[in-house]
Amino acid sequence: MTRTPLVAANWKMHKTAGEAEAFVAALLPRLSSAGADVALCPPFTALAAVVDSARGSALQVLAQNVHEAEQGAYTGEVSIPMLADLGVQGAIVGHSERRQYFCESDRALQLKVPALLAAGLLPLLCVGETEEEREAHDTERKLRHQVQEALAGVNDDRLADVAIAYEPIWAIGTGKVATPDQAQEAIAFIRALVGGRDAGAGERVRILYGGSVSPDNAAELLALPDVDGALVGGASLDAASFAAIVASLPG
Ligand code: PGA
């Protein structure tokens, strides 16, 4: 089973529209990623600029969050039809920073993931354990809970259309990257969870690693058998650094 790798840049709350355009102009000539999907996840205010600058290229554009309702009285939120209208192809959902600082709940994810799929958009679902949970040998329990809850509303025949990012919270923005063994073990476990729902989906679903990925450690992580790409935060803010990570994908 060959899965198309995905390397996605999570810019978080960085870059104005102008800075985003300059990034795309610097990135495109550096990309030679035939056979891989490369995505940028800018803040909402730079989505249109990135869609415009990426037009005609294979670069994908994802949002960092989305609301589950089609429309309504949700001040400050953005809907799936609004993203689709801009030409955005998907959204990160359940990032640990959304869960921790903005009360993102499993209940909301149960609605967001199928709503994105129904609209033909890619949900990039983030899961991962805290340092305390890892030390207490609670990693698998946490991952099982998060994966089961977030995918509860997804039909078996759509499971493989979700992309999952395993992001141990202790590795995000800390420079403390998971060891290859830790990343492989957790991602194989997540794959088995999806495979428990539907064996074919377990084979096909793309599962990325995220957490302090850099040009220095990317090749080792991306070569792991169950790792289908990376979700990159800090090291994705510079075009040369992000391009170097994409170039680390096994040929
Ligand atoms: P990091 O962030 O690469 O800066 O650790 C990853 C993420 O939060 O998606």
Side-chain angles (χ1 to χ4, degrees):
M1 172 93 267
T2 52
R3 299 177 292 264
T4 305
L6 168 63
V7 180
N10 176 12
W11 287 350
K12 310 191 180 187
M13 199 171 71
H14 293 281
K15 296 195 190 293
T16 62
E19 288 164 349
E21 275 169 14
F23 179 99
V24 175
L27 178 69
L28 286 177
R30 292 180 152 92
L31 277 187
S32 55
S33 60
D37 289 342
V38 180
L40 301 182
C41 313
F44 287 126
T45 47
L47 282 170
V50 174
V51 168
D52 274 349
S53 351
R55 211 179 296 286
S57 77
L59 208 51
Q60 298 182 9
V61 185
L62 312 180
Q64 296 173 16
N65 182 32
V66 72
H67 195 276
E68 59 272 23
E70 230 169 89
Q71 56 183 6
Y74 301 105
T75 301
E77 291 294 309
V78 170
S79 73
I80 293 167
M82 292 170 186
L83 294 182
D85 177 60
L86 282 184
V88 170
Q89 288 132 302
I92 298 174
V93 290
H95 190 279
S96 63
E97 287 152 15
R98 302 271 350 144
R99 295 181 192 254
Q100 187 182 349
Y101 306 136
F102 304 100
C103 305
E104 176 86 292
S105 66
D106 289 323
R107 178 78 200 122
L109 293 171
Q110 274 176 17
L111 300 171
K112 289 182 185 196
V113 175
L116 282 162
L117 290 173
L121 270 64
L122 172 75
L124 177 47
L125 168 70
C126 301
V127 297
E129 81 287 0
T130 64
E131 187 149 44
E132 296 71 39
E133 287 163 337
R134 176 161 284 274
E135 280 167 5
H137 304 287
D138 244 359
T139 299
E140 293 193 348
R141 186 199 55 78
K142 173 73 169 292
L143 296 177
R144 183 182 301 110
H145 173 84
Q146 288 186 323
V147 170
Q148 281 176 351
E149 289 293 316
L151 299 182
V154 178
N155 289 335
D156 287 354
D157 66 345
R158 297 302 310 275
L159 281 172
D161 298 327
V162 179
I164 301 175
Y166 166 62
E167 298 207 305
I169 295 167
W170 47 270
I172 294 178
T174 57
K176 213 167 130 183
V177 68
T179 65
D181 282 352
Q182 288 171 329
Q184 169 58 29
E185 191 182 20
I187 288 177
F189 178 75
I190 294 168
R191 189 176 303 292
L193 289 173
V194 177
R197 289 259 321 257
D198 181 279
E203 294 275 306
R204 295 197 312 280
V205 69
R206 294 186 294 177
I207 311 181
L208 321 184
Y209 169 79
S212 295
V213 174
S214 73
D216 295 333
N217 59 34
E220 194 175 24
L221 290 160
L222 293 170
L224 296 167
D226 278 293
V227 175
D228 302 318
L231 182 55
V232 188
S236 76
L237 293 172
D238 174 76
S241 153
F242 183 60
I245 292 171
V246 175
S248 309
L249 282 163

